[in-house]
Amino acid sequence: RPAAAVHRPRWRLALRAPKLVYNRTFFSDTLHLNLEYPAFKGVSLYYTLDEAASPTTQSAAFRDAIVLDQTAHVRAFAYKPGWLPSPVVDAVLVKKQLTPAQARLEKLPSSKYPAQGAASLIDGKIAALQGADTWLGFEGEHLSATLDFGKNITLRQLYVHCLENNVAWIFKPVRILVFTSQDGVKFQRQGSREYPANTAMGEPKTHLLSYAPDRPVDARYVRIQVESLLKNPGWHPGKGQKCWIFVDEIVVE
């Protein structure tokens, strides 16, 4: 009698993620965003600008450059029938509508990573690599900066651009606290947001941390406290030693 047929599972391969291509994280007019993918017949790219929904095959199909004229959280993935969809890639791209007249630091950064002092936080220059001269580095300390807009503005959201490189003892901030003032003397706490810390060595990357008050706030001065772990965690080879935070831009909108 013939041997019973052997049923083998049908394995499906996953597509690689598309690449988001843009030349600025912060922009003041419009920004052109492209999606790149290696030539592969039958692959479609889908994206969404909807903060409340992940992209699906019902989302917009990428055809040509996406032109942004406002802050957007772009998320995209690759799809091909018979294959597993790719991981979703994303980026937050911020339209910079408000420029502070001045920035002040409560404490100076380390002399090893001074950049241009407080001015570096509002000059629109950001970096992706540790060796760039845009970073303000704080070792075993929090960063506290006060932005003076010279007039009343409406705070709806703010962003902090920072670096993480655990091998070099640089960690993502764990919390942002936000205060506002009309006179630069009396400040009112508006709220805070916490960000999860790594539990194992992570890859070097930049982060764009965001905070939004429960409702828009009118103020002339905005104070942002960017909190550090202060010391390397227990799982780190340098546990207990002072760690760093690196920040090079704060944007309010």
Side-chain angles (χ1 to χ4, degrees), residues 49-122:
L49 306 180
D50 184 355
E51 184 69 36
S54 295
T56 70
T57 53
Q58 302 305 307
S59 301
F62 177 76
R63 305 296 184 197
D64 203 350
I66 305 165
V67 181
L68 302 178
D69 60 5
Q70 60 185 349
T71 296
H73 185 182
V74 184
R75 287 175 286 177
F77 76 106
Y79 174 80
K80 177 180 170 68
W83 291 65
L84 292 174
S86 78
V88 173
V89 292
D90 75 314
V92 177
L93 303 168
V94 179
K95 184 168 185 178
K96 190 173 181 179
Q97 303 182 58
L98 299 170
T99 300
Q102 185 181 14
R104 299 192 305 272
L105 288 166
E106 183 177 317
K107 291 184 178 179
L108 294 177
S110 166
S111 58
K112 297 178 182 177
Y113 302 98
Q116 302 303 314
S120 290
L121 295 175
I122 59 173

Side-chain angles (χ1 to χ4, degrees), residues 158-177:
L158 64 80
Y159 300 90
V160 175
H161 191 255
C162 60
L163 177 70
E164 181 165 36
N165 184 0
N166 300 162
V167 172
W169 299 18
I170 303 169
F171 285 82
K172 179 178 66 177
V174 294
R175 186 166 67 151
I176 290 176
L177 293 89

